[in-house]
Amino acid sequence: MAMRLSSRICLRQLLSQRRTLSMYYTESHEWVNVQGSLARVGITDHAQAALGDVVFIDIPEVDTDVDAGDEIASVESVKAVGDVSSPIGGIVKAVNEALSDTPTLINSSPEDQAWIAEIEISDVSVLDNLMDKAAYDAFLLQG
């Protein structure tokens, strides 16, 4: 009896964690942090490390309508230029203006302060195609 109760509690916790999952990742090294109907999009620590010191970022305009896979930004570093694709579709509701003045935020805080755009999600089902943190970490290990 105690074993069944313990199993039910663990299952409930797992289901609850899945419902509250907010960070998602793509194979092209973008991240999405979902908060209700809005999602912030940026590049991962892995992506910024590959780019090197970021010197410029071209951010999207507010009210731009984007589809999943559309280019929403361009990041220029001392050794490369990389396009940032939106993992989700929707309307850009806000952009991180701090990146215009301090593009190095991409290097110092890629998955927190250096979000690029905040997008109102048009179709949450697209999140099912993205990876959680554990899956993304495993993807990175595959090389």
Side-chain angles (χ1 to χ4, degrees), residues 7-65:
S7 296
R8 285 185 197 157
I9 291 170
C10 288
L11 182 57
R12 282 189 194 135
Q13 287 173 338
L14 286 172
L15 291 173
S16 174
Q17 286 174 352
R18 180 65 181 153
R19 281 194 299 267
T20 60
L21 183 64
S22 65
M23 286 294 284
Y24 298 86
Y25 299 84
T26 69
E27 289 184 1
S28 54
H29 310 291
E30 291 93 11
W31 57 262
V32 179
N33 185 349
V34 178
Q35 300 297 320
S37 64
L38 296 175
R40 285 188 170 175
V41 175
I43 67 170
T44 65
D45 185 56
H46 178 83
Q48 73 78 25
L51 282 168
D53 294 334
V54 174
V55 295
F56 177 77
I57 180 162
D58 183 25
I59 57 178
E61 293 185 23
V62 172
D63 292 327
T64 302
D65 193 359

Side-chain angles (χ1 to χ4, degrees), residues 17-142:
Q17 286 174 352
R18 180 65 181 153
R19 281 194 299 267
T20 60
L21 183 64
S22 65
M23 286 294 284
Y24 298 86
Y25 299 84
T26 69
E27 289 184 1
S28 54
H29 310 291
E30 291 93 11
W31 57 262
V32 179
N33 185 349
V34 178
Q35 300 297 320
S37 64
L38 296 175
R40 285 188 170 175
V41 175
I43 67 170
T44 65
D45 185 56
H46 178 83
Q48 73 78 25
L51 282 168
D53 294 334
V54 174
V55 295
F56 177 77
I57 180 162
D58 183 25
I59 57 178
E61 293 185 23
V62 172
D63 292 327
T64 302
D65 193 359
V66 297
D67 292 323
D70 285 356
E71 179 186 322
I72 59 166
S74 181
V75 179
E76 185 178 331
S77 73
V78 293
K79 60 182 183 178
V81 175
D83 293 331
V84 179
S85 298
S86 179
I88 56 172
I91 298 172
V92 176
K93 292 297 187 179
V95 294
N96 190 347
E97 297 288 350
L99 294 176
S100 295
D101 296 329
T102 314
T104 55
L105 276 176
I106 293 281
N107 298 115
S108 62
S109 186
E111 295 184 31
D112 185 26
Q113 294 178 9
W115 58 276
I116 295 168
E118 191 169 71
I119 299 172
E120 185 174 51
I121 305 170
S122 61
D123 180 8
V124 294
S125 69
V126 74
L127 297 172
D128 294 336
N129 300 325
L130 304 177
M131 296 177 275
D132 64 12
K133 180 69 171 154
Y136 180 68
D137 288 343
F139 170 75
L140 291 177
L141 290 174
Q142 293 174 357

